[in-house]
Structures are given as C-alpha cells and as structure tokens.
Amino acid sequence: MNNMNAPKILPWIAKKAGISDELALKLWRRAVSEAEYLTGNSEGAEYWGLAVERFLGIVEDEVGDTPEYTLTPAPRLSWMWHHQSRMSLLSLMAAQNAYRYWQNTWEGMYGQKRAA
C-alpha cells in the first residue's frame, strides 16, 4: 500500500464538502488504495488521475447522504477535476493543430520548389 502524504488541497475539499479533515484523509487513503489496485501502480499520470477522481467520487458519495432540507447543499466537486482534464486536453489539441498547420505549410513550400 502506498504511504504517500495527502494533497495540500484536502482541507479545502473537506471544508467545501462539509466533512472533517480526518474523514477526508480516510477517504483519500481509500481512493489511493483503489487507484493503486486498479492501475497496478503507485505512481504515474494514470494512477494520480484515478486517485483524484476516485477521491472526489467517494467524497460526493459520502456527502450525498445529507438531508435535502439543508440550506447549503454540499457542492459536486468532480466538475473541478473534469474541467482541469478538459483544459489540458485542449492545450494538447491546440499544439497538435499548430504542428499540423506548420507541417502542411512546410510540405506545400517544399513541394512547390520541387515542381519548379
């Protein structure tokens, strides 16, 4: 089992979800264990991504048992993780499109010189 430290954002997520720091730490350890089991690794992008995703899902499941009559329902936290993933994918797509544009331009210029 991985004996890593909890992320520094853990208290913020606990506060936003309305749970104690101790419970958040227990849920984090559970998420890390599940991610390690599912990926077979205790490091790497896939492992970390799954650990955070599992943690947010577990927190949401834990908070989902709150009564509906409360004035301030706990927020869904997974949107933050999904948004971050989408933004990083958009950056990669933009870089890939720029590369293809320059590659096509270069091939167009090189192809015209050969024809001349």
Side-chain angles (χ1 to χ4, degrees), residues 30-91:
R30 177 178 157 199
V32 166
S33 295
E34 289 179 12
E36 187 173 354
Y37 175 77
L38 291 171
T39 62
N41 292 321
S42 60
E43 56 187 45
E46 182 183 14
Y47 165 76
W48 289 109
L50 186 59
V52 172
E53 190 173 325
R54 288 297 307 136
F55 173 67
L56 294 175
I58 293 168
V59 168
E60 289 171 357
D61 290 345
E62 183 75 22
V63 172
D65 294 337
T66 57
E68 293 184 25
Y69 57 81
T70 58
L71 294 176
T72 55
R76 302 284 299 173
L77 300 173
S78 60
W79 70 268
M80 177 178 55
W81 177 252
H82 294 295
H83 179 69
Q84 177 92 16
S85 298
R86 279 194 307 271
M87 293 305 289
S88 61
L89 285 176
L90 288 175
S91 300

